Amino acid sequence: QKEVEQNSGPLSVPEGAIASLNCTYSDRGSQSFFWYRQYSGKSPELIMSIYSNGDKEDGRFTAQLNKASQYVSLLIRDSQPSDSATYLCAATLQGAQKLVFGQGTRLTINP
Amino acid sequence: NAGVMQNPRHLVRRRGQEARLRCSPMKGHSHVYWYRQLPEEGLKFMVYLQKENIIDESGMPKERFSAEFPKEGPSILRIQQVVRGDSAAYFCASSPNPGHLGYTFGSGTRLTVV
C-alpha cells in the first residue's frame, strides 16, 4: 500500500464548476497535510496546508481533513482555466522530518 | 528575499559522467531537502540535511548518489557514473527548522542523460 494515494486522473471539469481532488494516506500518525500545484515543466507550489480535522478555506480553495478516514481533499470553487495543473497531495510521516507525496492528479479546466 | 536557488536549470550528461546539482537555501534556512521527480511521477524524497550533517538519507540510492551541505556554500547533490534512468527533475526545498514542513521548492534541475 502506498503511503499517500491519489487518483492520477486526468480529471476534467468545466470552467466555473467545483473541482474536487482526493487523497488518502496510510500512516495514522501523520499530522500535517499539504496540497501543491505543479504546472507542466515547473516546480511544485504550496497552495494549502491543513493540520486539524475539518475544513480550511483560502480564497477559492478549501482543504478538508478527516483523520478517522485518513482522507484529505481539495476543493476548487469557480474553476478557472489557469487552475489546470497537476495537484500533489503530501503528508508527514510520524517521526520523520520529510513529506511523502502522492503521484498527483492532473486537472484540466475546460473553457 | 530570494527563494531557494538551484543551478543549473538544465544539465545534460553522457552516460558514465558525473552530475553535480547545487541548491542554495532561503536566507536563514539551515535545513535542506532533496526530491526527485521521474517523468509522469510524483516527488520522491531523497535526503534531508542540516548544515554539515545528513539527517535522513533513506531515499537515496545506495550507490553513485551522495549529498552534502557544508558550513559555507550551497548543498550539493552528486551523482556519479550517471545512467539513463537518472534522467529526472531534481528539486530542493529548505526550511528554517525541522518542524516547518510546508516548504518552498526551488525551480529544480532537469537532468538529461544521453
Side-chain angles (χ1 to χ4, degrees):
Chain A
Q1 182 185 10
K2 292 183 180 178
E3 291 162 324
V4 178
E5 291 202 63
Q6 295 179 252
N7 187 328
S8 59
L11 176 65
S12 185
V13 173
E15 184 176 357
I18 296 176
S20 178
L21 302 158
N22 304 316
C23 171
T24 58
Y25 60 96
S26 61
D27 183 359
R28 284 199 170 275
S30 294
Q31 295 292 324
S32 305
F33 305 88
F34 305 89
W35 283 98
Y36 284 80
R37 178 177 62 198
Q38 186 175 28
Y39 293 113
S40 181
K42 302 295 184 182
S43 61
E45 171 193 10
L46 179 65
I47 54 172
M48 288 288 285
S49 59
I50 188 165
Y51 310 102
S52 304
N53 278 328
D55 295 359
K56 179 181 177 183
E57 187 174 318
D58 183 1
R60 296 187 296 111
F61 298 97
T62 298
Q64 299 174 317
L65 174 60
N66 183 326
K67 290 187 177 181
S69 300
Q70 296 176 240
Y71 179 90
V72 192
S73 65
L74 179 70
L75 301 178
I76 307 173
R77 290 183 300 282
D78 188 24
S79 298
Q80 303 296 311
S82 59
D83 295 326
S84 298
T86 296
Y87 289 79
L88 300 165
C89 172
T92 57
L93 296 181
Q94 188 174 22
Q97 299 298 332
K98 62 186 179 185
L99 292 182
V100 177
F101 286 81
Q103 69 270 38
T105 297
R106 185 177 299 175
L107 173 66
T108 300
I109 307 300
N110 299 309
Chain B
N1 188 14
V4 179
M5 304 298 292
Q6 289 188 251
N7 67 80
R9 292 290 299 272
H10 299 276
L11 181 62
V12 179
R13 285 287 177 265
R14 295 186 185 279
R15 281 178 294 170
Q17 290 184 319
E18 178 179 290
R20 280 183 174 244
L21 289 61
R22 297 176 188 76
C23 170
S24 295
M26 291 180 68
K27 188 176 181 179
H29 289 193
S30 58
H31 300 259
V32 165
Y33 308 81
W34 285 93
Y35 285 76
R36 176 167 66 174
Q37 188 173 38
L38 294 169
E40 305 301 321
E41 293 189 15
L43 288 159
K44 302 294 185 186
F45 170 80
M46 298 184 75
V47 63
Y48 160 40
L49 310 102
Q50 293 180 24
K51 286 280 188 181
E52 300 185 277
N53 287 300
I54 297 174
I55 307 302
D56 182 349
E57 55 181 350
S58 58
M60 289 279 271
K62 298 300 180 191
E63 298 177 349
R64 302 187 297 110
F65 285 72
S66 62
E68 64 176 4
F69 189 15
K71 186 177 181 180
E72 300 291 339
S75 175
I76 306 288
L77 179 67
R78 182 183 179 204
I79 311 172
Q80 295 178 290
Q81 300 175 335
V82 296
V83 300
R84 289 222 170 106
D86 297 332
S87 295
Y90 292 82
F91 294 101
C92 166
S94 71
S95 70
N97 59 65
H100 186 90
L101 289 175
Y103 32 65
T104 300
F105 285 95
S107 54
T109 293
R110 280 148 185 86
L111 172 66
T112 302
V113 179
V114 298

